[in-house]
Amino acid sequence: GWAAWGMFCHEVACWTMFGHGGLMIDRQADRVCVGVVEINDGPLFPEKELGWMLYEGFEGQGYATEAAAVLRDWAFAELRLPTLVSYFDPNNAKSIAVATRLGGVRDDAAPRQDPEDLVFRYKP
């Protein structure tokens, strides 16, 4: 209910206000939606965040890495962003592995909303 509405409004606001936001990840073979990749911004994010979420059953197949790499490269080339970050729960080994494959480097000095989060930084 309310949480889904809030996430939807956040996505619309990001595209309208910042020129970036979330995209659905569709599997090319059959056009099944497997998750979301996004560049978040706004009051909940100290810096522009490259984020992803896969739906249950689609993890571990490379979808997050492929989609996040394309969105990261687009953001650096088209938006000319100097940096992006990703925030993770320290126990989220799968997303930390994706961030590492994307060239992310752990940045313990980066600001974060949740002091427990790990931050990985990407540069062009």
Side-chain angles (χ1 to χ4, degrees):
W2 288 108
W5 177 249
M7 290 189 306
F8 174 78
C9 290
H10 171 79
E11 296 299 342
V12 171
C14 277
W15 280 109
T16 302
M17 296 172 67
F18 308 121
H20 58 72
L23 299 169
M24 305 311 290
I25 304 170
D26 283 351
R27 184 169 51 197
Q28 285 185 333
D30 56 9
R31 308 306 295 170
V32 168
C33 183
V34 301
V36 178
V37 63
E38 56 199 342
I39 299 175
N40 290 302
D41 202 345
L44 300 178
F45 300 90
E47 298 185 63
K48 292 184 188 290
E49 185 221 18
L50 176 64
W52 53 84
M53 179 191 74
L54 294 178
Y55 302 138
E56 189 173 333
F58 296 106
E59 304 93 339
Q61 300 176 50
Y63 299 128
T65 302
E66 182 180 357
V70 170
L71 190 57
R72 176 204 60 203
D73 293 349
W74 174 82
F76 289 146
E78 298 299 321
L79 301 177
R80 304 205 184 284
L81 298 182
T83 188
L84 283 166
V85 297
S86 294
Y87 305 103
F88 304 111
D89 180 297
N91 298 318
N92 188 344
K94 290 180 180 180
S95 282
I96 291 168
V98 170
T100 302
R101 283 193 294 278
L102 292 170
V105 176
R106 189 168 158 176
D107 184 352
D108 292 335
R112 63 206 80 201
Q113 185 180 25
D114 184 340
E116 302 299 316
D117 280 349
L118 297 179
V119 180
F120 279 73
R121 183 170 303 281
Y122 315 95
K123 295 186 178 179

